Amino acid sequence: MTTTALDSVPNRAQSEASSGQKRVLLLKPRGFCAGVVRAIDIVKIALETFGAPIYVRREIVHNRYVVNELAEKGAIFVHEIDDVPDGQRVIYSAHGVSPAVRERSKGRGLRVIDATCPLVTKVHIEAVKFAKQGYSLVLIGHRDHDEIEGTLGEAPDVTQVVSNVAEVAALQVPDPNRVAYLTQTTLSLDEARDIIHALKEKFPNIAGPHSQDICYATENRQVAVRNVAHNADLVLVVGSTNSSNSNRLVEVSRNLGTIGYLIDNSQAIDPKWLTGVSTVAVTAGASAPEVLVEDVVNYLRQNGYSDVEEVEVMPENVRFGLPPEIVQAIGGPGGAEAVPVR
């Protein structure tokens, strides 16, 4: 059963909860975004076209299930370019890489296939543009994330990373009137808003991207949780612990006062979490496959949550084309055209 009328959910949830009926609200959109689908397809097509082994720098997307599945097909995941034998074929992950990594690959004679998400590439381009125009850059994000590492590498001498509002106060720049900010694509909307507000107070003339850097999929999944969390006793987010956007979904739920947990699969569910819980909302981060969501829903069904209702908050139909290295290899027209996003 699917509903797009969110206003109709609360009354039904309350009435059914009071009658003891256990139910699942299955959020939509959830799971794979266009960038993740593209990245996984790139690895699969490369394996089918060129044969194993295919090397991949870092996790192609931040999901252990996906990585293991591709490894079984012949993908070899390495931490750094130096771990790839000279002259071999290597795929850059969806999170992007720094110019230094690209130069290192070139020097080693590696045959590169770039699976960087186009929305991450957008942020890289913005970083280069602002740096060339003489701006000091403030990159909002998590220092240990692969995406931040890659973006920071575009203009490391003029870029500072901030992860919270408190760090904004310590920022020092040569010219307070020539400052620009960019953000990681998978941040919490609320967190980013607060940091940007603090930056604007400290640097009133600060510049920013023409459109927000937080990607459509990250925003849509957070909006879905925000719209439904108050109708649930518990929110379960399917995703790996190193997935930034998945962790943000849990934060959104908890900030709204609804208990939320990040789980890899149904085996990670503690039965104690379900004690006294009538309504469970289930969603998935942008790098989590639907098979894991189905696994969780089946587990809940087996534990008495027989009423499963899909709640669609907004439609999502973004697609990205394949990179030229893949298009040339398979002799195709390039797949889907990229759909403009906000």
Side-chain angles (χ1 to χ4, degrees), residues 274-335:
L274 302 178
T275 302
V277 169
S278 297
T279 302
V280 180
V282 175
T283 188
S287 51
E290 184 66 11
V291 64
L292 297 182
V293 176
E294 294 171 357
D295 173 53
V296 169
V297 171
N298 287 335
Y299 173 91
L300 292 171
R301 278 198 175 104
Q302 292 167 11
N303 283 271
Y305 295 84
S306 56
D307 183 8
V308 178
E309 178 179 354
E310 188 171 66
V311 182
E312 183 173 22
V313 178
M314 74 276 289
E316 198 172 270
N317 58 0
V318 177
R319 295 178 297 166
F320 294 132
L322 295 170
E325 303 93 346
I326 291 292
V327 174
Q328 292 167 9
I330 63 178

Side-chain angles (χ1 to χ4, degrees), residues 116-164:
T116 302
C117 174
L119 299 182
V120 173
T121 299
K122 164 186 175 288
V123 183
H124 281 236
I125 292 170
E126 290 166 343
V128 172
K129 180 193 71 174
F130 280 126
K132 286 183 176 179
Q133 292 174 350
Y135 283 87
S136 296
L137 274 173
V138 179
L139 183 56
I140 303 170
H142 304 288
R143 287 180 179 81
D144 59 348
H145 195 277
D146 290 341
E147 182 185 331
I148 288 295
E149 178 187 302
T151 307
L152 178 62
E154 293 289 357
D157 295 338
V158 298
T159 305
Q160 300 178 69
V161 179
V162 296
S163 299
N164 53 57

Side-chain angles (χ1 to χ4, degrees), residues 245-285:
N245 74 88
S246 299
N247 279 285
R248 304 294 81 77
L249 295 176
V250 176
E251 290 175 2
V252 169
S253 178
R254 291 177 177 174
N255 289 341
L256 292 170
T258 302
I259 298 170
Y261 295 106
L262 179 63
I263 55 174
D264 269 313
N265 48 47
S266 66
Q267 295 177 351
I269 299 174
D270 186 339
K272 295 178 182 176
W273 297 346
L274 302 178
T275 302
V277 169
S278 297
T279 302
V280 180
V282 175
T283 188

Side-chain angles (χ1 to χ4, degrees), residues 81 90 92 99-112:
I81 287 299
V90 64
Y92 295 151
V101 171
R102 294 181 186 278
E103 283 301 311
R104 184 64 179 159
S105 296
K106 186 177 180 181
R108 303 271 317 290
L110 301 181
R111 292 172 288 177
V112 172

